[in-house]
Amino acid sequence: MTATVIDGRMVARGVREETARRAAALTTAPVLATVLVGDDPASGVYVANKRRSAAAAGIGDVHRHLPGTASEAEVAAVLDELAADDRVTGILLQLPLPGHLDPARLVERIPPEKDVDGLTTRSQGLLARGEPGLRPCTPAGVIALLDAAGIGLAGRRAVVVGRSTLVGRPMAQLLLGRDATVTIAHSRTRDLPALTRSADVLVAAAGVPGIITGAHVAPGATVVDVGIHRTSDGLVGDVDRAGVAPVAGAITPVPGGVGPMTIAMLLANTVAAAQTREAAR
Amino acid sequence: MTATVIDGRMVARGVREETARRAAALTTAPVLATVLVGDDPASGVYVANKRRSAAAAGIGDVHRHLPGTASEAEVAAVLDELAADDRVTGILLQLPLPGHLDPARLVERIPPEKDVDGLTTRSQGLLARGEPGLRPCTPAGVIALLDAAGIGLAGRRAVVVGRSTLVGRPMAQLLLGRDATVTIAHSRTRDLPALTRSADVLVAAAGVPGIITGAHVAPGATVVDVGIHRTSDGLVGDVDRAGVAPVAGAITPVPGGVGPMTIAMLLANTVAAAQTREAAR
């Protein structure tokens, strides 16, 4: 037996098409503002991808590119201007920022209703309480992927490996919101294989290449790989796919699994923010 | 073998004494403002206890008692006045409120730096991110109780039964912050006894009398009982103490376990808020 491969590119395409339909149904087009500080090549590519995908979904584009020497006050002023701009429905501050800037302090300037990355304290508080709000894109993408693959969550054992603010912690909250029994594991966890073998749904978000092996997986379990690492063998995830595929029931590949979902959920959040605004008028 | 009983009254006394010392060391005395709406007898008793304990710790007292018929705008106006009052270092809005008032909306009017109950969205977001902030009193009290009893948490398996906003969810976050491997279980969890038997530390916060029996507990585990229920047999918790005591290594009693810690942590939060304010001057 070999695990079913969950095709993230196909699911992401469906989310993007649905998002484009919802965007077209709005009276005023949604607008995504992207803010890039400095000239990190990877960040430049990510932002370009996001802008291109947004345009393809009928989302308007506002872009601000600041030099890597910009002061925190200068970045803050740009965020404040976008916060005040009624046309802008979503604001994305591309991370990481140059080292002299405080990302947490700057992210807080994004109004919660435009926080399409779901990273402000308020958005994370709403998530922690299980209240409506904009959710971080990568974990929201994992849920959408599981839904599309028909993987049930209510009453199932879910184990999240990794406790980052960006992925692991909000992932655990979203799984709990779907009535899974959720465990969050991390570098201090003892006997990780025994723990992860109790999972019906295992989400690997440790940021360690190949940390999840066949010995970590129960037969038939669903394994979601959030890791992405550039190695001499090409892109690999947190999951040792060759070892896990013969054991798992379903698996997300790297690349082409969770990765494509992140941008798709960013677009979905941008349109959801615009819908909320329109409904409030 | 019978479980060691963790004496919450003794630990709470220690926290209150330490809090009184810290309060006395401040240049300006901390002040706790309590807001009570309506005439629910239990709420009246709770607020009176909190005020008396605060006074005993050298914390100043401001009290507002509104009629049960008060409008949301009237309660909001009182909270806004206390928020603006420089003498007041902590604000507590006693819950539950009369049914015509929205507790979440009213709690949000408390500035995060005076949110000594740790219930605002911002406080919960800070907790979800593992950043400094004021923590909800009952789960913070559980951590203090475990610390006082010398129960290690790093790398240990912790299971929290219950996912309320007030206790279960923040409890899981605090245990994670102490490097436990944390599972949150709830009414949809399958085979609860098998899950809870994997716990080194089991926190019962389900709100169901006696839901945790001897069959739910691993030999030698620590069992913390957050439940408190008035029955014809007197006060009982979520833990069937007679069944669990022969199995567990340590147990918190009801009454006299977690209960006394809640007020102690409220006082500690009030003084911590005042210390933060003084440090910022």
Side-chain angles (χ1 to χ4, degrees):
Chain A
M1 195 189 75
T2 268
T4 305
V5 175
I6 301 175
D7 184 345
R9 291 197 182 97
M10 194 184 71
V11 178
R13 194 181 312 126
V15 171
R16 289 202 310 269
E17 287 170 1
E18 169 64 18
T19 299
R21 274 192 292 277
R22 286 162 47 210
L26 287 165
T27 309
T28 315
V31 171
L32 175 63
T34 49
V35 179
L36 177 63
V37 186
D39 297 299
D40 177 63
S43 290
V45 169
Y46 291 143
V47 168
N49 283 342
K50 289 169 185 175
R51 295 174 66 195
R52 191 169 43 240
S53 302
I59 294 171
D61 177 52
V62 169
H63 181 61
R64 297 279 184 274
H65 188 178
L66 286 86
T69 54
S71 69
E72 192 160 315
E74 286 169 328
V75 181
V78 166
L79 292 171
D80 290 351
E81 177 220 321
L82 296 169
D85 186 337
D86 268 350
R87 293 169 312 148
V88 171
T89 50
I91 301 173
L92 179 136
L93 175 62
Q94 182 67 37
L95 303 178
L97 294 171
H100 66 286
L101 301 173
D102 182 331
R105 212 154 51 197
L106 284 167
V107 162
E108 288 306 309
R109 304 192 84 93
I110 300 172
E113 67 274 15
K114 298 188 181 186
D115 177 24
V116 289
D117 251 351
L119 294 184
T120 61
T121 305
R122 190 171 161 79
S123 294
Q124 302 226 329
L126 291 171
L127 173 56
R129 287 222 297 246
E131 289 175 22
L134 293 164
R135 307 308 193 203
C137 300
T138 299
V142 171
I143 297 288
L145 210 49
L146 292 169
D147 283 346
I151 311 290
L153 291 171
R156 299 291 184 87
R157 289 288 309 268
V159 175
V160 178
V161 183
R163 55 171 161 173
S164 70
T165 304
L166 215 60
V167 182
R169 287 166 179 255
M171 184 79 255
Q173 302 278 3
L174 287 173
L175 289 163
L176 180 63
R178 296 293 296 275
D179 293 329
T181 299
V182 184
T183 302
I184 186 157
H186 45 80
S187 56
R188 302 291 298 271
T189 293
R190 298 178 191 167
D191 199 355
L192 184 65
L195 176 68
T196 53
R197 278 198 304 270
S198 73
D200 300 306
V201 176
L202 175 57
V203 180
V208 180
I211 188 177
I212 301 300
T213 70
H216 290 74
V217 175
T222 299
V223 180
V224 178
D225 192 350
V226 182
I228 185 152
H229 312 276
R230 226 167 281 276
T231 74
S232 52
D233 296 335
L235 289 178
V236 302
D238 282 4
V239 175
D240 165 30
R241 188 167 164 190
V244 168
V247 185
I251 192 171
T252 69
V254 173
V258 174
M261 295 302 293
T262 300
I263 289 186
M265 299 315 289
L266 172 68
L267 307 182
N269 273 350
T270 304
V271 172
Q275 288 178 315
T276 302
R277 187 183 67 170
E278 199 155 295
R281 275 183 178 163
Chain B
M1 195 188 74
T2 268
T4 304
V5 175
I6 301 174
D7 183 346
R9 290 197 183 96
M10 195 185 70
V11 179
R13 194 181 313 127
V15 172
R16 289 202 311 270
E17 287 169 1
E18 169 64 20
T19 299
R21 274 193 292 276
R22 286 161 47 210
L26 288 165
T27 310
T28 316
V31 172
L32 175 64
T34 49
V35 179
L36 176 64
V37 185
D39 296 299
D40 177 64
S43 290
V45 170
Y46 291 144
V47 168
N49 282 342
K50 289 168 186 176
R51 294 174 66 196
R52 191 168 43 239
S53 302
I59 295 171
D61 176 52
V62 169
H63 182 61
R64 298 280 185 273
H65 189 179
L66 286 85
T69 54
S71 70
E72 191 161 314
E74 286 169 328
V75 181
V78 167
L79 292 171
D80 291 352
E81 177 221 321
L82 297 168
D85 187 337
D86 267 350
R87 291 170 313 147
V88 171
T89 51
I91 301 173
L92 179 135
L93 175 62
Q94 182 67 36
L95 302 178
L97 295 171
H100 66 286
L101 301 173
D102 182 332
R105 214 155 49 197
L106 284 167
V107 163
E108 287 307 309
R109 304 191 85 93
I110 300 172
E113 67 275 13
K114 298 187 181 186
D115 177 24
V116 288
D117 251 350
L119 295 184
T120 61
T121 305
R122 189 171 161 79
S123 295
Q124 301 225 330
L126 291 171
L127 173 56
R129 288 221 298 244
E131 289 175 22
L134 293 165
R135 306 309 193 202
C137 299
T138 300
V142 171
I143 297 288
L145 210 49
L146 293 169
D147 283 346
I151 310 291
L153 291 171
R156 299 292 183 87
R157 290 288 307 270
V159 175
V160 179
V161 183
R163 55 172 161 172
S164 70
T165 304
L166 214 60
V167 182
R169 288 165 179 256
M171 184 77 255
Q173 302 278 1
L174 287 172
L175 289 163
L176 180 63
R178 295 295 294 274
D179 294 330
T181 299
V182 184
T183 303
I184 185 157
H186 45 78
S187 57
R188 302 291 299 271
T189 293
R190 297 177 190 167
D191 199 354
L192 183 65
L195 176 69
T196 53
R197 278 197 305 270
S198 73
D200 300 307
V201 175
L202 175 57
V203 181
V208 180
I211 188 177
I212 302 299
T213 70
H216 290 75
V217 176
T222 298
V223 180
V224 178
D225 192 349
V226 181
I228 186 151
H229 312 276
R230 229 167 279 274
T231 74
S232 53
D233 295 337
L235 289 178
V236 303
D238 282 5
V239 174
D240 165 28
R241 189 168 164 189
V244 168
V247 186
I251 192 171
T252 69
V254 173
V258 174
M261 296 301 294
T262 300
I263 289 186
M265 299 315 288
L266 171 69
L267 306 182
N269 274 350
T270 304
V271 173
Q275 287 178 316
T276 302
R277 185 183 68 169
E278 198 154 295
R281 276 185 176 162

